[in-house]
Amino acid sequence: DSAGAVSAPTMIEKKICMLGAFAVGKTSLVRRFVSSCFSEQYQTTIGVTVDKKSMTVDETPLTLVLWDLYGEDEFQKLRTSYLRGSSGYLLVLDGMRRATLDLALHMQERATDTLGPVPFVVLINKHDQRAAWDITDRDLAQLAERGWSLLMSSAKTGQGVEEAFLTLARAMLAPSPSSPTAGNTHGL
């Protein structure tokens, strides 16, 4: 054991929650990110499904522990206990359903109440069907005015998926609890 030996960097583990309304594509986004696949068959998530993916972000080894939470709707509210210990989250909206935006605003408030100002990224999913979107450019501009990081994604084509997880990972590894590259609640 020589004093000058350089040890391998320690693997950092970060918990990320996938938040969003029922059927916005959270599970499909996780599947696309973890195993690079997409299925047309819809499966409802019951409770929570946990996946892991190891990656290197700017030379830092990182394991993301992805908590894919069941979708929220008028009958099923998010259990804030699932959020505890999260270093960040992806807030997923379905571009074709305007109601998922309103629900996401409420979920973001509850996540902030539970976790404090942790980094998050807003993903507007189903970009491959942009022509059929119900969420408008004005809606997107209003989200951007909050200082939130917005990315367009398609679990089907893979567009924006890797970028979203990488953006969130970089924000979680940043020294401050929130950074300009990820959403924060300052100024609300």
Side-chain angles (χ1 to χ4, degrees):
D1 186 21
S2 72
V6 176
S7 62
T10 307
M11 177 69 76
I12 297 170
E13 194 169 279
K14 298 280 188 183
K15 175 181 172 180
I16 293 177
C17 285
M18 303 293 293
L19 302 181
F22 178 75
V24 294
K26 297 178 299 296
T27 300
S28 294
L29 288 163
V30 169
R31 193 174 296 132
R32 169 64 73 180
F33 179 61
V34 172
S35 55
S36 299
C37 67
F38 176 81
S39 171
E40 291 285 352
Q41 288 167 348
Y42 178 73
Q43 288 189 318
T44 302
T45 301
I46 311 270
V48 62
T49 305
V50 179
D51 273 296
K52 283 187 175 188
K53 177 156 179 169
S54 294
M55 58 195 298
T56 301
V57 179
D58 304 326
E59 300 180 23
T60 301
L62 176 67
T63 297
L64 298 179
V65 182
L66 308 165
W67 284 51
D68 178 11
L69 306 181
Y70 58 84
E72 185 169 300
D73 60 25
E74 61 271 21
F75 307 109
Q76 183 119 282
K77 297 296 174 216
L78 175 69
R79 277 199 204 150
T80 54
S81 60
Y82 284 146
L83 295 173
R84 289 194 196 111
S86 295
S87 298
Y89 58 95
L90 289 177
L91 188 58
V92 185
L93 287 66
D94 177 344
M96 297 176 21
R97 294 173 22 230
R98 173 74 174 64
T100 65
L101 170 59
D102 300 324
L103 205 47
L105 295 172
H106 293 295
M107 292 182 94
Q108 191 279 331
E109 286 174 15
R110 289 211 313 279
T112 299
D113 289 347
T114 303
L115 300 171
V118 300
F120 68 96
V121 173
V122 178
L123 270 182
I124 321 299
N125 200 28
K126 305 186 184 177
H127 195 258
D128 56 293
Q129 299 176 46
R130 181 70 170 102
W133 273 22
D134 199 21
I135 291 179
T136 66
D137 289 340
R138 181 184 162 102
D139 293 329
L140 298 177
Q142 288 174 340
L143 290 176
E145 284 170 13
R146 292 173 174 256
W148 293 4
S149 177
L150 303 178
L151 294 172
M152 306 303 148
S153 66
S154 168
K156 188 173 190 173
T157 67
Q159 176 199 343
V161 177
E162 195 85 23
E163 180 186 358
F165 285 96
L166 192 57
T167 299
L168 184 56
R170 282 192 173 117
M172 291 186 307
L173 291 172
S176 64
S178 62
S179 74
T181 59
N184 62 57
T185 56
H186 299 286
L188 288 185

